[in-house]
Amino acid sequence: MSDPDNNERDEMLKVIRTTQDRRQKWQEEGERPLWKNFSMIGALGWLIVAPTLLGVFLGRWLDSKLGTGVTFSGALTFAGACFGFFLAWHRMNEK
């Protein structure tokens, strides 16, 4: 049987260590330059926009070939946006 107080204590110690490590890294490396922050925002934007547009164009093409109205356009636009947000989330958690 595990002690819930001990688990909470371990979790709190882990959070404290992570915070201390981040602060030490920031003190050693300093603040990231403004141009690097802007480039990250631009890269994340394109990671979302590109798959979404690909979904739009592919969906429109399939709808025109199959005569299905906006079925594929809507579905592939949504799928492209979801994939783009996944890529952006993955990129943000990389560093």
Side-chain angles (χ1 to χ4, degrees), residues 15-73:
V15 169
I16 290 170
R17 274 190 225 106
T18 302
T19 303
Q20 288 173 341
D21 291 343
R22 286 180 184 164
R23 179 176 296 277
Q24 182 180 1
K25 183 179 177 184
W26 179 78
Q27 287 175 343
E28 290 171 1
E29 296 177 4
E31 190 72 30
R32 217 176 19 203
L34 184 62
W35 65 268
K36 196 167 187 178
N37 289 336
F38 282 142
S39 68
M40 174 75 78
I41 292 169
L44 291 176
W46 280 110
L47 280 174
I48 297 168
V49 169
T52 304
L53 288 177
L54 184 64
V56 168
F57 292 128
L58 184 61
R60 297 282 295 165
W61 180 76
L62 283 172
D63 284 336
S64 69
K65 292 292 181 192
L66 301 174
T68 54
V70 294
T71 304
F72 287 108
S73 296

Side-chain angles (χ1 to χ4, degrees), residues 3-19:
D3 184 18
D5 291 334
N6 194 24
N7 289 341
E8 290 176 9
R9 183 174 166 261
D10 290 343
E11 187 66 31
M12 181 62 80
L13 289 174
K14 182 180 175 186
V15 169
I16 290 170
R17 274 190 225 106
T18 302
T19 303

